[in-house]
Amino acid sequence: MIKIENVSKSYVKGKKSIDDLNLEIRNGEIFGFLGPNGAGKTTTIKMITGILNPDEGDILIDGKSITKEPLEAKKQFGFVPDSPDMFLKLKGIEYLNFLADIYEVPNDVRKERIESLTKKFEIYDDLNSEIESYSHGMRQKIVICRSIIK
Ligand SMILES: Nc1ncnc2c1ncn2[C@@H]1O[C@H](COP(=O)(O)OP(=O)(O)OP(=O)(O)O)[C@@H](O)[C@H]1O
Ligand SMILES: [Mg+2]
């Protein structure tokens, strides 16, 4: 569950980009976050993921505060950015194992997860190639795989 509680954020003094936002996204819910340019979508997602800190309020991810327990909160989610920075010189399998290390996925679990996810996304046969050689869509697929590897 993601809970946003009374969150405000200003980039410029006296001009709130986010003004007292409250939002609850329940487990299993698929939530579309729409709004006009400059509404504050990216700012909100940056605060949910701990890239920016709110000026006021707090954000809880499965009960863990992203500001007070950032590491614990970050273990609860995966994030697929618009244009991911990739480690282009790593092979697909090295990249997935690296992320599985970060998320502390046990060896036996990760082996099964990597195989089933990459087969579903039809990139299993490319895992021994460097990400540099992947197409844009293949790169997006492997980022999705790594974000749900846990
Ligand atoms: N780094 C920054 N410095 C100053 N102001 C910023 C910065 N980033 C965003 N803003 C301002 O904060 C407000 C919200 O911007 P944000 O990027 O969160 O909107 P958005 O909903 O993601 O827009 P878009 O649909 O264009 O992606 C806007 O008024 C924007 O000008
Ligand atoms: Mg945006």
Side-chain angles (χ1 to χ4, degrees):
M1 186 167 85
I2 300 173
K3 207 168 177 185
I4 301 179
E5 294 175 335
N6 305 106
V7 162
S8 296
K9 177 77 188 173
S10 303
Y11 291 98
V12 181
K13 221 174 168 198
K15 184 173 175 278
K16 285 187 177 179
S17 291
I18 306 292
D19 188 3
D20 197 23
L21 177 65
N22 285 278
L23 186 64
E24 195 172 303
I25 303 166
R26 290 181 296 273
N27 284 348
E29 192 174 358
I30 296 173
F31 191 90
F33 198 35
L34 307 178
N37 297 139
K41 303 178 295 294
T42 297
T43 303
T44 302
I45 288 171
K46 281 183 176 171
M47 291 192 288
I48 293 173
T49 51
I51 297 167
L52 284 177
N53 278 324
D55 299 334
E56 293 166 51
D58 203 0
I59 297 169
L60 304 177
I61 297 162
D62 279 351
K64 313 277 185 203
S65 160
I66 192 72
T67 55
K68 298 188 190 82
E69 318 163 76
L71 273 181
E72 285 308 310
K74 285 177 186 178
K75 283 182 188 170
Q76 314 301 320
F77 66 81
F79 178 50
V80 181
D82 293 348
S83 40
D85 288 325
M86 303 283 296
F87 301 102
L88 297 175
K89 292 290 174 197
L90 289 187
K91 292 175 179 168
I93 188 68
E94 293 169 337
Y95 178 64
L96 291 177
N97 272 314
F98 173 54
L99 268 298
D101 282 343
I102 289 177
Y103 279 94
E104 297 176 332
V105 183
N107 273 335
D108 47 340
V109 179
R110 82 170 60 172
K111 201 166 177 290
E112 193 279 321
R113 277 303 274 166
I114 289 174
E115 187 173 333
S116 69
L117 282 171
T118 55
K119 280 185 174 166
K120 259 186 209 131
F121 282 99
E122 300 178 345
I123 52 169
Y124 179 75
D125 292 337
D126 305 292
L127 287 182
N128 281 310
S129 306
E130 288 178 1
I131 291 171
E132 196 167 47
S133 71
Y134 287 16
S135 70
H136 180 65
M138 289 162 73
R139 292 178 194 187
Q140 285 179 314
K141 283 177 177 178
I142 203 164
V143 172
I144 294 171
C145 289
R146 69 102 161 110
S147 71
I148 53 176
I149 200 162
K150 198 177 167 185

